[in-house]
Amino acid sequence: MITSTDAMNEQERQPPGIKLTAQQLRARRERSIAIALALGAFVLLIFAVTMVRLGSGALSLSGDDYMRPVQTTK
Amino acid sequence: MSITLARVEPSIAGVGDYIELMKPRVMSLVVFTALVGLVVAPGHVHPVIGLVALLCITVGAGAAGALNMWYDADIDARMARTAARPIPRGRITPGEAAGFGFTLAAFAVVTLGLLVNVLAAALLAFTIFFYVAIYTVWLKRSTPHNIVIGGAAGALPPMIGWAAATGSLAVEPVLLFLIIFFWTPPHFWALSLYRCEDYARAGIPMLPVVAGEDETRRQILRYALILAPLGVAPWLLGYAGPAYGAAALPIGGVLIALALRVRNERDGHRASKQLFGFSILYLFLLFAMLLIDGRPGGLFGHFA
């Protein structure tokens, strides 16, 4: 059975969290910005190719073509 | 059950280190030759699709470079030319480089396949596999023909560019492949002649280390004699115009003349250094002329 005292002792034994040096912090920030920019560029890329591939068809989906009733034969 | 965690130092790698890991100079040659393959291919490619193809090929090449540096970190540390690369310098850990390389490779191949076409993606995947598994892991440390066979990886980008534009392959992109394939050995052997001790120290069986300088000089001339006619072939076969021929003929002559000087050189490595430098200019000029005067879809052909 774990008592509250045991749990406190356990907590005290935990090493303090990793302290980043100024250089490590700077490098992490630099990498984070680069990843954000790369992700943004990737999203734009997919958007641009979608526009090129579907062209005006992408827009007409929400317009006439989409709303036109399905033709049925008697 | 106890879990022991190894203490891992937080990374100090900056963006510049990761860019260096992708071998930007190799990447620039890859993107240029791939662009030529894309432009000289027949038919019209939407600029956005062309740009996506080039981007994927470039990122794929960078991924292959990162994986090469990951696997070769031990020998890179022993060679003066490569000792300052990010892994031997302690800026990036091997694990970070491997993760970066595999992630980029997967992204480049899948994106190329989904947004451009499957043939181009398959060729890019094969190129990365060939460079990393066949050249880096297997051939580089085991045979003096390492760069001859491994050169195929560097020769594939114009074929990927062509495949991206057309969705198929033809004789022309194979010719571009052959030009780079036969260009690689004299280019790297010229370098290895004056970096011989470096390669020997790292235990890489480059031709001058294994077969000696004289044999290397003979082989350089042999490959130059195959390369120069191949360089003229696009004009002779009608894939490029007279301006291309007018450029390819004299620079092919200079290449052979320099290879002959390397062959006859006994003291020092002046001619080898000249040939190494000129070989880069030679390939650049050939592909630049193809871009300008290639048929049928050459740069000017698009506006004709």
Side-chain angles (χ1 to χ4, degrees), chain B residues 224-234 236 256 282:
Chain B
L225 287 171
I226 300 172
L227 174 62
L230 269 175
V232 183
L236 293 176
I256 292 177
Y282 173 82

mmCIF file of all heavy atoms in Angstrom, chain B residues 224-234 236 256 282:
data_model
loop_
_atom_site.group_PDB
_atom_site.id
_atom_site.type_symbol
_atom_site.label_atom_id
_atom_site.label_comp_id
_atom_site.label_asym_id
_atom_site.label_seq_id
_atom_site.Cartn_x
_atom_site.Cartn_y
_atom_site.Cartn_z
ATOM 1 N N ALA B 224 36.369 9.486 -70.284
ATOM 2 C CA ALA B 224 36.244 10.780 -70.980
ATOM 3 C C ALA B 224 36.019 10.544 -72.473
ATOM 4 O O ALA B 224 35.268 11.277 -73.123
ATOM 5 C CB ALA B 224 37.487 11.623 -70.749
ATOM 6 N N LEU B 225 36.669 9.506 -73.023
ATOM 7 C CA LEU B 225 36.509 9.187 -74.446
ATOM 8 C C LEU B 225 35.096 8.675 -74.759
ATOM 9 O O LEU B 225 34.625 8.790 -75.886
ATOM 10 C CB LEU B 225 37.553 8.148 -74.881
ATOM 11 C CG LEU B 225 38.986 8.684 -74.998
ATOM 12 C CD1 LEU B 225 39.989 7.557 -75.209
ATOM 13 C CD2 LEU B 225 39.091 9.713 -76.129
ATOM 14 N N ILE B 226 34.437 8.091 -73.776
ATOM 15 C CA ILE B 226 33.037 7.671 -73.975
ATOM 16 C C ILE B 226 32.113 8.871 -73.762
ATOM 17 O O ILE B 226 31.149 9.061 -74.492
ATOM 18 C CB ILE B 226 32.657 6.540 -72.976
ATOM 19 C CG1 ILE B 226 33.561 5.324 -73.179
ATOM 20 C CG2 ILE B 226 31.183 6.144 -73.150
ATOM 21 C CD1 ILE B 226 33.384 4.253 -72.116
ATOM 22 N N LEU B 227 32.452 9.695 -72.754
ATOM 23 C CA LEU B 227 31.575 10.802 -72.375
ATOM 24 C C LEU B 227 31.466 11.876 -73.455
ATOM 25 O O LEU B 227 30.358 12.338 -73.755
ATOM 26 C CB LEU B 227 32.078 11.421 -71.057
ATOM 27 C CG LEU B 227 31.361 12.687 -70.580
ATOM 28 C CD1 LEU B 227 29.888 12.403 -70.315
ATOM 29 C CD2 LEU B 227 32.020 13.232 -69.318
ATOM 30 N N ALA B 228 32.605 12.259 -74.036
ATOM 31 C CA ALA B 228 32.580 13.369 -75.009
ATOM 32 C C ALA B 228 31.636 13.082 -76.182
ATOM 33 O O ALA B 228 30.797 13.936 -76.503
ATOM 34 C CB ALA B 228 33.992 13.685 -75.475
ATOM 35 N N PRO B 229 31.693 11.887 -76.843
ATOM 36 C CA PRO B 229 30.710 11.616 -77.909
ATOM 37 C C PRO B 229 29.276 11.562 -77.397
ATOM 38 O O PRO B 229 28.360 12.025 -78.080
ATOM 39 C CB PRO B 229 31.132 10.233 -78.436
ATOM 40 C CG PRO B 229 32.522 10.027 -77.966
ATOM 41 C CD PRO B 229 32.679 10.809 -76.717
ATOM 42 N N LEU B 230 29.096 11.031 -76.185
ATOM 43 C CA LEU B 230 27.739 10.999 -75.608
ATOM 44 C C LEU B 230 27.192 12.410 -75.432
ATOM 45 O O LEU B 230 26.010 12.666 -75.636
ATOM 46 C CB LEU B 230 27.761 10.303 -74.246
ATOM 47 C CG LEU B 230 27.514 8.799 -74.222
ATOM 48 C CD1 LEU B 230 27.701 8.282 -72.794
ATOM 49 C CD2 LEU B 230 26.111 8.452 -74.709
ATOM 50 N N GLY B 231 28.098 13.332 -75.073
ATOM 51 C CA GLY B 231 27.703 14.720 -74.878
ATOM 52 C C GLY B 231 27.225 15.358 -76.179
ATOM 53 O O GLY B 231 26.371 16.241 -76.169
ATOM 54 N N VAL B 232 27.781 14.889 -77.304
ATOM 55 C CA VAL B 232 27.402 15.451 -78.609
ATOM 56 C C VAL B 232 26.144 14.755 -79.151
ATOM 57 O O VAL B 232 25.424 15.312 -79.989
ATOM 58 C CB VAL B 232 28.585 15.308 -79.603
ATOM 59 C CG1 VAL B 232 28.248 15.960 -80.940
ATOM 60 C CG2 VAL B 232 29.854 15.931 -79.022
ATOM 61 N N ALA B 233 25.882 13.536 -78.659
ATOM 62 C CA ALA B 233 24.802 12.697 -79.204
ATOM 63 C C ALA B 233 23.425 13.373 -79.289
ATOM 64 O O ALA B 233 22.739 13.203 -80.298
ATOM 65 C CB ALA B 233 24.710 11.397 -78.416
ATOM 66 N N PRO B 234 22.989 14.165 -78.279
ATOM 67 C CA PRO B 234 21.666 14.783 -78.397
ATOM 68 C C PRO B 234 21.525 15.621 -79.678
ATOM 69 O O PRO B 234 20.459 15.676 -80.275
ATOM 70 C CB PRO B 234 21.572 15.671 -77.146
ATOM 71 C CG PRO B 234 22.444 14.996 -76.152
ATOM 72 C CD PRO B 234 23.592 14.428 -76.947
ATOM 73 N N LEU B 236 23.456 15.106 -82.530
ATOM 74 C CA LEU B 236 23.548 14.175 -83.664
ATOM 75 C C LEU B 236 22.226 13.436 -83.881
ATOM 76 O O LEU B 236 21.846 13.130 -85.014
ATOM 77 C CB LEU B 236 24.674 13.150 -83.434
ATOM 78 C CG LEU B 236 26.094 13.716 -83.429
ATOM 79 C CD1 LEU B 236 27.106 12.622 -83.098
ATOM 80 C CD2 LEU B 236 26.425 14.357 -84.778
ATOM 81 N N ILE B 256 38.517 15.893 -73.191
ATOM 82 C CA ILE B 256 39.462 14.839 -73.581
ATOM 83 C C ILE B 256 40.904 15.338 -73.423
ATOM 84 O O ILE B 256 41.778 14.613 -72.934
ATOM 85 C CB ILE B 256 39.186 14.372 -75.029
ATOM 86 C CG1 ILE B 256 37.824 13.643 -75.077
ATOM 87 C CG2 ILE B 256 40.303 13.469 -75.534
ATOM 88 C CD1 ILE B 256 37.404 13.196 -76.452
ATOM 89 N N TYR B 282 31.609 21.488 -67.394
ATOM 90 C CA TYR B 282 31.213 20.732 -68.593
ATOM 91 C C TYR B 282 29.754 20.273 -68.485
ATOM 92 O O TYR B 282 28.947 20.510 -69.380
ATOM 93 C CB TYR B 282 32.146 19.528 -68.750
ATOM 94 C CG TYR B 282 31.756 18.573 -69.856
ATOM 95 C CD1 TYR B 282 32.091 18.829 -71.180
ATOM 96 C CD2 TYR B 282 31.046 17.404 -69.588
ATOM 97 C CE1 TYR B 282 31.730 17.959 -72.206
ATOM 98 C CE2 TYR B 282 30.671 16.532 -70.595
ATOM 99 C CZ TYR B 282 31.022 16.811 -71.904
ATOM 100 O OH TYR B 282 30.649 15.951 -72.901
#
